[in-house]
Amino acid sequence: MNQKAIDPAMSANFIPSAVHCPRDVERIVEGVATSDGAGVRLTRVLHGALQRRLDPFLMLDAFGSDDPDDYIAGFPEHPHRGFETITYMLAGRMRHRDSAGHEGLLEDGGVQWMTAGRGVIHSEIPQQKDGVLEGFQLWLNLPAARKMSAPWYRDFPASEIPEYVTPENVVVRVIAGTSNGITGAVTREFTEPLYLDIHLPTRATFAAALPESHNAFIYVYRGAAKIGDTKIAAQRMAILRNAEGGDGVIVSATQEETRLILVAGKPLNEPIVQYGPFVMNTRDEIEQAIRDYSSGNFV
Ligand code: MN
């Protein structure tokens, strides 16, 4: 594990969460192996059936392979409308190009945040012929009032992702939201997403405050974690129960060094209608998206 020196500026801001009534695990979810784009093999962890339960999150794909045949074809040009995509690259290099004129290279530890808004057409193509490509793509919904907003895009190299280390040597990378006093690369007003990458040494414990109403889950990608009496193995998602008075989560590593992401957000409680890469509130809006795309009306 990557034992970084504590950044004095960061640790000065570190305010440990006091979690008095931790959430427990409602359900363990095993992802579904599938492929997308031009044949990229991935595991769809959060899929359509969980969109309502995990509102405002619409999808989580985990990808990870050292076999180039699993990823080399990438995701050629395709459209999106009505939500945001957050790609977190643990390892590998991928180039993004879109119809709004954005282009960027996503590399080890970097994050790409794209607000599709009223529509973009983009491509996501691996820039390597061998080695490991590993990471996540999370889809975050937009409220009805923002679904047709202007597209937005930004790349955050690893050095721009705020990071802190707890007294138990837990390394926390703050991709979105605020955790233990440290504000991440992106904040969002309507859905208030929290997105942390947490690296726990053997048997270490980490606590994070979570607003009671927010939906939340963890996904373990190395080692094995424990929440209350529930063990969560690698490649499993644990949905955290929403209970009255629940004020956070306390998660521990078992006998192994453990890495996981913690994702939480404020539900929008609006209708969700998805048709492939378009996520709107009504069928009429989906039909409009299809018409706009096929008539070349995306930027
Ligand atoms: Mn895409």
Side-chain angles (χ1 to χ4, degrees):
M1 128 149 229
N2 184 16
Q3 290 289 356
K4 291 206 176 182
I6 295 175
D7 177 341
M10 287 281 184
S11 55
N13 293 331
F14 177 74
I15 305 163
S17 289
V19 176
H20 302 290
C21 184
R23 296 189 189 199
D24 63 0
V25 174
E26 175 180 298
R27 181 176 163 194
I28 303 275
V29 176
E30 186 179 349
V32 178
T34 183
S35 72
D36 207 342
V40 178
R41 288 168 58 102
L42 51 83
T43 303
R44 187 142 296 162
V45 183
L46 196 176
H47 46 78
L50 292 171
Q51 284 176 343
R52 178 52 57 194
R53 173 64 188 86
L54 292 174
D55 178 12
F57 303 103
L58 299 165
M59 193 189 84
L60 177 70
D61 283 344
F63 50 92
S65 177
D66 59 3
D67 178 355
D69 288 344
D70 288 343
Y71 60 72
I72 202 79
F75 301 86
E77 281 203 337
H78 60 279
H80 292 291
R81 173 179 279 183
F83 59 99
E84 307 189 79
T85 69
I86 303 138
T87 309
Y88 179 32
M89 190 69 86
L90 296 170
R93 303 170 80 222
M94 193 141 74
R95 181 169 298 282
H96 164 103
R97 279 197 184 91
D98 73 35
S99 54
H102 306 123
E103 181 174 342
L105 186 63
L106 188 57
E107 295 184 275
D108 297 10
V111 171
Q112 179 214 83
W113 197 296
M114 184 183 80
T115 305
R118 65 177 174 253
V120 294
I121 300 167
H122 77 157
S123 60
E124 302 156 291
I125 305 293
Q127 302 293 300
Q128 60 191 56
K129 291 191 169 56
D130 51 34
V132 174
L133 188 85
E134 184 182 21
F136 301 101
Q137 188 169 85
L138 178 70
W139 288 11
L140 170 63
N141 209 354
L142 284 168
R146 291 289 184 281
K147 281 188 177 290
M148 296 299 278
S149 59
W152 183 86
Y153 164 93
R154 204 175 142 188
D155 279 312
F156 298 90
S159 59
E160 290 179 26
I161 305 295
E163 205 170 89
Y164 64 88
V165 184
T166 74
E168 283 193 61
N169 279 321
V170 179
V171 177
V172 182
R173 311 193 72 220
V174 188
I175 295 166
T178 298
S179 168
N180 290 324
I182 313 299
T183 297
V186 174
T187 55
R188 281 287 179 268
E189 182 186 358
F190 296 99
T191 47
E192 299 175 14
L194 177 71
Y195 189 166
L196 307 179
D197 180 16
I198 302 167
H199 301 185
L200 297 126
T202 304
R203 282 183 285 276
T205 292
F206 174 76
L210 297 172
E212 184 183 309
S213 61
H214 288 201
N215 291 326
F217 64 87
I218 68 162
Y219 179 82
V220 178
Y221 66 91
R222 294 278 191 287
K226 217 174 161 198
I227 293 176
D229 293 328
T230 308
K231 188 176 169 187
I232 305 113
Q235 277 79 56
R236 295 291 182 277
M237 167 200 256
I239 297 177
L240 305 183
R241 195 183 311 280
N242 297 60
E244 205 180 323
D247 60 357
V249 61
I250 298 175
V251 59
S252 306
T254 56
Q255 303 86 329
E256 306 166 68
E257 289 180 0
T258 296
R259 297 188 177 199
L260 57 95
I261 56 172
L262 167 63
V263 176
K266 183 180 174 184
L268 291 167
N269 296 312
E270 293 176 357
I272 301 166
V273 183
Q274 176 172 6
Y275 179 77
F278 307 134
V279 184
M280 303 300 288
N281 300 109
T282 68
R283 290 185 60 91
D284 282 354
E285 289 167 348
I286 291 292
E287 282 161 22
Q288 186 66 48
I290 295 166
R291 280 197 299 274
D292 287 350
Y293 176 55
S294 46
S295 61
N297 273 349
F298 275 37
V299 261

